[in-house]
Amino acid sequence: MAEKLGMIRWFLEELPKLRESGVIDSAAEENLQKHYRERLAAAPSPQKYFLLNFSIIGSVLIAGGIILLFNYNWDMFTKFTRIMIAFLPITLSVVLSLYTLMASRSQSWREGSAILTSAGTAVAIALLSQIYHTGGTLSQFMTLVLLLALPLIYIFNSISLATLYMLGLFMTLGWWYERTQLMTGFCLLAGILPFVCWHLLREKSPYRIWMRYLAMGFAIFAISAFGDEYSTGLILFTVCAVFMLASMRLQSEGARMLRNLWLLISFFLLLVLLLIGICEERWILHLRRHGGMSEGIFYFWLTEGVFLLLFLFLFIRDYLRKQMNFHRLMMLVLILTALLGILLDAFDADDIYMRVVLIVYMGVFGVTLLMYGCRENSMLAFNGGLLTCALLIGLRFFDAEIGLQARAIGFIVLGLGFIGANVLFSRKLGRKKSTEVNHAEK
C-alpha cells in the first residue's frame, strides 16, 4: 500500500511536466489530478497502522500486568475471592467487547477487544485449574484456550488474534513428553482454514499480505503434527507444490518479493527436497510402517487431502483464467512424482528408480526455467534455472568417484559458468532496454 501511494504522489508531481511537454492537455491533467488526489484522500493513513500495532501491544501489556498483580497477592485471598478474581478479567473484557461491537468501533478497538477477551479466558482457565487442582498439561491447556479463541477471531475479524492462534497451535504439539492429540489438532487447524482462505482470496482484504505469512505458519504446523504419521516427504512435496503454484500467479501479477515470499521459500524448499531425494540412501519419500490402518494414517491422508484439494483449486483456476504454462504443469507432475515414490516404497522397490525419476525431473525443471528466463528476459527465472542445473550437475559430478583436484576444477568451472552466464544475460537485457529507448525516441 505504501509503495502504491508513493507511486501516486510521484505521478502527481510528473503531471505538470507531462503537460508542459505536450503529452497531455490541461483538461487531462485536471482530471488525473482530481482522480488520484481522491484516491490519496481515501487511502488509510499510516497512523492507522501504527495505532493498530500499539493497541495490540498495549492490550498484551495490560493483560500481563493484571496477571502479575493477582499473582503477587494470591495467597492472601479466600477461595471465593479467588474464584471472583478468576472471572474478573473475562467479565471486563466481555463488557469491552460488547461496547466495541455495539458502538461499531474501529479495527484497533476490535483487535484489542479480541486479545483481551482471549487473555481473560486463558486467565480464568488457569486460575480455576489452580484453585481446584485439576492438573493437566500445557498441550491440554492451550487446546482449550484456542478452542475458545477461535470464535473471537471470526467475530472481531482479528488478524492479531489469528497470529497468536497460529503460534499457540505449536504449543498443542506433544513433542517429546506426550503424544499429540491428532483429532484435536486437525479440528483446530480446520477451524481457522476458512478465515485464512477468505482473506487470501479477497483482493480488497487489508490483511491479505500478512495472511500469506500466516499461511506458511499453519502449513508448518500441519507438517509437524501429521507428516511423521505416514510420510513427511509426501506432504512436504505437496505443500511445496501448493505454495509454488500460488506464488506463480502472484509473480505474474507483478507482486514484489516481500509480498510474495512464497516464491523464494517454495523454490528453495523444492531444491532441497530434490537434492535429498537424489542422494544415495537418503530417499525422502519413505513410508512409516504401521502394520495397518491407524489414527495417524487417517489424519495424515485427511491433511494431505486438504492440500491436494487446495492444489486442484489453484490449478483449475489458473486453467480457467488461461494462465496455464509449462511450469504450472510441472507442479502437477511434482505431486504425481511424489505419489509414485510412495507407491514404489510401499512395494519395496529399489531406491535407484525413484532417484532417476527425481534427477530427470530436476533437470527438466532447471532447463525449462532457464529457457523461460531467456525468452521472457526474467533475471529471477534465469538465475533460478541456472542454480537448479548447477546444483544437479555439481551433485552428480561430485558424487562420482573422481579425485580432489578434478572436483576443485569442477567447482571453479561451475562458478565461472554461473558468473559468465549472468554477465551475458545482463548485457542482453541492457541491449534490449537500449533498443526500447531508441524506438521510443523515434
Side-chain angles (χ1 to χ4, degrees), residues 49-91:
Y49 295 104
F50 282 109
L51 181 61
L52 176 60
N53 292 329
F54 284 121
S55 65
I56 294 172
I57 297 173
S59 301
V60 174
L61 292 175
I62 292 172
I66 293 173
I67 295 173
L68 291 175
L69 181 63
F70 287 141
N71 180 68
Y72 180 77
N73 301 285
W74 191 248
D75 293 334
M76 67 178 63
F77 298 129
T78 63
K79 184 177 181 180
F80 177 78
T81 304
R82 293 179 184 180
I83 295 175
M84 296 296 295
I85 291 175
F87 283 101
L88 180 60
I90 190 173
T91 302

Side-chain angles (χ1 to χ4, degrees), residues 54-185:
F54 284 121
S55 65
I56 294 172
I57 297 173
S59 301
V60 174
L61 292 175
I62 292 172
I66 293 173
I67 295 173
L68 291 175
L69 181 63
F70 287 141
N71 180 68
Y72 180 77
N73 301 285
W74 191 248
D75 293 334
M76 67 178 63
F77 298 129
T78 63
K79 184 177 181 180
F80 177 78
T81 304
R82 293 179 184 180
I83 295 175
M84 296 296 295
I85 291 175
F87 283 101
L88 180 60
I90 190 173
T91 302
L92 295 176
S93 59
V94 167
V95 172
L96 175 63
S97 298
L98 290 174
Y99 168 74
T100 300
L101 294 174
M102 295 176 65
S104 300
R105 302 295 297 182
S106 64
Q107 185 61 31
S108 58
W109 278 76
R110 299 171 73 89
E111 296 287 349
S113 299
I115 292 179
L116 287 176
T117 304
S118 183
T121 304
V123 170
I125 295 172
L127 292 180
L128 290 175
S129 176
Q130 192 274 337
I131 292 172
Y132 290 100
H133 305 287
T134 57
T137 63
L138 175 63
S139 176
Q140 295 171 338
F141 170 73
M142 287 305 303
T143 298
L144 183 56
V145 171
L146 293 180
L147 283 173
L148 296 175
L150 187 59
L152 298 175
I153 296 176
Y154 288 92
I155 293 173
F156 293 97
N157 191 28
S158 175
I159 191 67
S160 56
L161 188 56
T163 304
L164 296 176
Y165 184 95
M166 184 269 293
L167 297 174
L169 281 175
F170 290 93
M171 301 178 70
T172 65
L173 295 175
W175 299 113
W176 305 279
Y177 55 88
E178 60 175 315
R179 179 172 172 79
T180 301
Q181 298 297 319
L182 297 177
M183 183 180 71
T184 304

Side-chain angles (χ1 to χ4, degrees), residues 230-270:
Y230 192 60
S231 173
T232 304
L234 176 59
I235 199 169
L236 278 172
F237 273 107
T238 308
V239 169
C240 180
V242 170
F243 281 102
M244 180 72 82
L245 188 61
S247 67
M248 289 179 183
R249 180 172 178 269
L250 295 175
Q251 183 71 13
S252 64
E253 294 175 351
R256 295 181 179 272
M257 194 56 61
L258 290 179
R259 295 170 179 259
N260 188 21
L261 282 181
W262 290 351
L263 182 62
L264 283 182
I265 293 176
S266 57
F267 175 74
F268 283 111
L269 174 61
L270 176 59

Side-chain angles (χ1 to χ4, degrees), residues 171-210:
M171 301 178 70
T172 65
L173 295 175
W175 299 113
W176 305 279
Y177 55 88
E178 60 175 315
R179 179 172 172 79
T180 301
Q181 298 297 319
L182 297 177
M183 183 180 71
T184 304
F186 183 83
C187 291
L188 290 173
L189 186 61
I192 195 64
L193 189 60
F195 183 81
V196 176
C197 293
W198 166 255
H199 284 288
L200 286 177
L201 298 175
R202 186 167 171 260
E203 295 184 0
K204 294 184 179 181
S205 172
Y207 306 131
R208 194 181 185 193
I209 297 174
W210 180 246

